[in-house]
Amino acid sequence: MQTTFLQNLGIDKLQSNGIYSSIISSEIKAAGEGSEFGVSSPIDGMEVARFRNATPAQLEQLIVQAENAFKQFRSTPAPLRGELVRRIGDIARTHKEDLAKVITLESGKIMPEALGEVQEWIDVCDFAVGLSRQLHGKTIVSERPGHRMMEQWHPLGPVAVITAFNFPMAVWAWNSMIGLVCGNSIVFKPSEKAPLCALACQAVLEKALESMPELPKGISSVIVGDREIGQLIADDQRFPLVSATGSTAMGKSVAKAVGARLGRSLLELGGNNAMIVSEHADLDLALRAIVFSAAGTAGQRCTTLRRLITHETVQEDLVERLKKSYASLPIGDPGKEGTLVGPLIDQQSFNTMQSALKKAVDEGGEILFGGERVTAGVAEGGYYVRPAIVRIKHDATVVQQETFAPILYIITYSTLDQAIDIQNEVPQGLSSAIFTESMREAELFMSPAGSDCGIANINIGTSGAEIGGAFGGEKETGGGRESGSDSWKAYMRRTTNTVNYGGELPLAQGIVFE
């Protein structure tokens, strides 16, 4: 396998005796001291890297470094912090294709999607640079004469970022670029399935830091470790904020640990996303959105479309169109031009998909298309599947759960109120959509009586969120918000200041104490 892109990024320099560094910062580069493990590419199942898990002692070393760096970095003017992020974005632009190839190698994304993920990183850098001059508070009218109140936002402290395999660079960037502009140091724990992507992110950041010697070098670090390291991070009060992306089960564990010490957790967890297709929908437009939302990234996005709630008058026509579109999807090597569906991340993911399909049938569902493993024309060691379409009742147990694979459940509705109830009845609340040409239906869907998700789209799919909006969801999705809008406030602490510029000392609420 040609891996010159790793050399272009300097990742090969982090390897010694076949083992990659597991704790990395500008000041420390060392192999882990725990158990050894291999990282395999989902493309062909071949091992592409070896690591040793970091130990609690090595985590402690990075936390101390992050604390010390934060104490200096918090007083660095925000526009100068923005300049660092601008340079990071410029380097990412230069190495866009190299970075995308690392994503494809480790997560199995097709190249157009991998390039799109790197573009998200670049875009959030642009957003954060502008934000660096807009971290402003308010002036508040005081009830006391001769007084002024104001609100300020200050850096929070070392921020822990825990990510999943499916967006190994973008989610780090959403958190880290905003977190750095806000004056925080970052400790990054990637998924054990995508540590090379983390090394690539750190390599780009360190290259930018080299051009700004006035900044502390320990403001960003990577630790490659197992669940024990993740638990220690969640338990450690020196992290005022832990941002975690992954399964709902993982998020509940993080929330419990962080909440027990009264810290903050920013959680981006499971999505069981639905699209309503109305009898007033443009079916041609809907079809395109459904196919990408449901089959893109081999169904391994938190915003993947999993439930298609279709009006009884359009369902048969739409399903027939979907089956034809699914049958024409090129499945194969994600690095090859023309491929639209790459592999699942590993065998466990494949087994989970098969179990879900069996459960769907056991619960009265009917597999209308796909679901089987594809072996022709693909690497033997990869787990490639044909995206599945299953007709099933909305209240089947399997429909209430998120299966991280390309299974699209087809559900029937008669009235829009019924469709909205079906959409909202699952525990998750990330992304949602409706396709309709009716303004009344669209407005109802976005109203307080409509979608209960963090994202509610009209005539676009459930996936492909822009970085300018706050990204996140409700209920078991965790309630966190990342990236755009005012999501930056999660990475800062608010302080309310009162200034007495008069010669008297009146108390609030007119209290007299003399």
Side-chain angles (χ1 to χ4, degrees):
M1 182 181 296
Q2 290 290 329
T3 56
T4 53
F5 51 92
L6 298 181
Q7 286 84 49
N8 293 342
L9 293 165
I11 297 176
D12 58 313
K13 297 175 183 176
L14 297 172
Q15 193 176 26
S16 177
N17 298 322
I19 304 293
Y20 280 96
S21 299
S22 295
I23 61 167
I24 309 105
S25 72
S26 290
E27 299 173 332
I28 306 169
K29 291 176 176 64
E33 296 172 354
S35 57
E36 187 174 325
F37 68 96
V39 179
S40 299
S41 173
I43 296 172
D44 54 13
M46 299 295 290
E47 186 174 286
V48 294
R50 293 202 69 78
F51 287 82
R52 287 194 183 93
N53 283 307
T55 61
Q58 291 180 304
L59 173 61
E60 176 67 22
Q61 189 178 8
L62 287 188
I63 295 174
V64 170
Q65 177 185 265
E67 277 195 305
N68 292 335
F70 168 71
K71 290 174 183 177
Q72 178 183 342
F73 196 51
R74 64 187 175 186
S75 297
T76 301
L80 186 58
R81 304 193 299 249
E83 174 61 17
L84 170 64
V85 170
R86 186 189 68 79
R87 296 186 190 192
I88 291 170
D90 285 347
I91 296 167
R93 279 186 180 89
T94 300
H95 290 283
K96 183 176 178 179
E97 187 170 344
D98 293 326
L99 291 164
K101 287 179 178 178
V102 184
I103 294 172
T104 295
L105 176 69
E106 273 198 319
S107 73
K109 278 189 178 179
I110 62 172
M111 273 300 290
E113 288 192 75
L115 288 165
E117 178 169 350
V118 180
Q119 188 61 49
E120 279 193 54
W121 173 1
I122 295 165
D123 290 345
V124 83
C125 285
D126 290 345
F127 177 86
V129 172
L131 180 64
S132 69
R133 294 180 182 270
Q134 300 181 70
L135 301 173
H136 43 65
K138 301 175 181 177
T139 297
I140 305 165
V141 175
S142 173
E143 67 183 62
R144 292 173 284 194
H147 286 61
R148 177 172 65 86
M149 291 176 64
M150 65 179 180
E151 177 182 274
Q152 294 188 84
W153 293 87
H154 294 310
L156 186 61
V159 172
V161 179
I162 301 173
T163 62
F165 76 86
N166 59 331
F167 278 87
M169 293 187 187
V171 173
W172 166 81
W174 292 349
N175 286 275
S176 297
M177 300 305 99
I178 304 293
L180 287 170
V181 158
C182 290
N184 305 307
S185 54
I186 308 292
V187 176
F188 176 25
K189 183 200 174 300
S191 165
E192 300 96 305
K193 296 178 182 180
L196 287 176
C197 287
L199 269 57
C201 293
Q202 182 69 16
V204 169
L205 191 147
E206 288 190 7
K207 191 169 183 180
L209 268 178
E210 287 173 4
S211 66
M212 300 184 71
E214 67 273 29
L215 298 181
K217 301 308 177 189
I219 56 174
S220 175
S221 58
V222 172
I223 183 162
V224 178
D226 55 17
R227 182 173 295 184
E228 179 190 11
I229 292 297
Q231 189 63 52
L232 288 171
I233 288 172
D235 289 336
D236 201 304
Q237 63 182 3
R238 290 170 292 183
F239 290 113
L241 174 65
V242 177
S243 176
T245 300
S247 69
T248 296
M250 180 276 290
K252 287 181 177 179
S253 176
V254 169
K256 183 178 180 180
V258 176
R261 59 180 175 83
L262 300 182
R264 298 185 200 173
S265 55
L266 195 166
L267 303 175
E268 297 291 351
L269 310 176
N272 193 352
N273 313 296
M275 178 192 295
I276 298 170
V277 179
S278 160
E279 70 267 39
H280 306 296
D282 179 335
L283 293 188
D284 291 333
L285 192 65
L287 181 66
R288 293 168 58 195
I290 293 164
V291 173
F292 174 68
S293 294
T297 326
Q300 297 171 123
R301 286 177 177 242
C302 54
T303 53
T304 289
L305 176 60
R306 310 206 181 278
R307 297 176 297 138
L308 186 63
I309 306 167
T310 59
H311 192 268
E312 56 194 8
T313 61
V314 301
Q315 184 176 111
E316 291 305 320
D317 183 15
L318 185 58
V319 166
E320 287 306 308
R321 295 191 193 198
L322 273 173
K323 286 160 66 175
K324 289 179 181 177
S325 293
Y326 269 42
S328 67
L329 287 173
I331 301 169
D333 186 336
K336 290 185 177 179
E337 187 175 351
T339 299
L340 292 182
V341 180
L344 295 174
I345 189 67
D346 54 24
Q347 182 178 2
Q348 180 182 355
S349 181
F350 173 75
N351 292 343
T352 299
M353 178 180 179
Q354 299 310 303
S355 295
L357 289 170
K358 181 180 183 303
K359 188 173 183 179
V361 172
D362 291 344
E363 293 187 315
E366 177 189 4
I367 299 176
L368 303 177
F369 183 89
E372 72 275 14
R373 185 176 182 183
V374 174
T375 55
V378 299
E380 184 177 345
Y383 285 86
Y384 297 83
V385 295
R386 201 169 300 283
I389 301 172
V390 180
R391 197 194 317 265
I392 196 167
K393 292 183 178 179
H394 69 91
D395 55 356
T397 304
V398 70
V399 176
Q400 306 299 306
Q401 303 159 350
E402 179 190 36
T403 301
F404 219 57
I407 302 175
L408 180 63
Y409 297 116
I410 306 293
I411 298 164
T412 309
Y413 81 91
S414 300
T415 68
L416 184 58
D417 286 342
Q418 179 190 21
I420 291 172
D421 286 344
I422 290 170
Q423 181 199 274
N424 293 346
E425 70 185 0
V426 299
Q428 309 84 359
L430 178 53
S431 188
S432 61
I434 185 171
F435 271 75
T436 179
E437 297 297 294
S438 165
M439 182 184 72
R440 289 184 175 180
E441 287 188 333
E443 290 292 338
L444 174 62
F445 184 75
M446 293 185 292
S447 77
S451 169
D452 65 358
C453 296
I455 299 169
N457 293 333
I458 310 297
N459 292 332
I460 62 171
T462 58
S463 58
E466 297 181 35
I467 62 97
F471 180 87
E474 301 303 319
K475 302 187 293 187
E476 288 193 357
T477 300
R481 293 296 185 276
E482 294 172 332
S483 193
S485 186
D486 65 350
S487 299
W488 60 271
K489 292 179 179 179
Y491 304 88
M492 304 197 82
R493 60 180 178 87
R494 187 196 313 242
T495 176
T496 301
N497 310 131
T498 304
V499 179
N500 179 359
Y501 59 86
E504 304 294 330
L505 193 64
L507 301 178
Q509 293 85 45
I511 295 172
V512 177
F513 191 78
E514 293 181 353

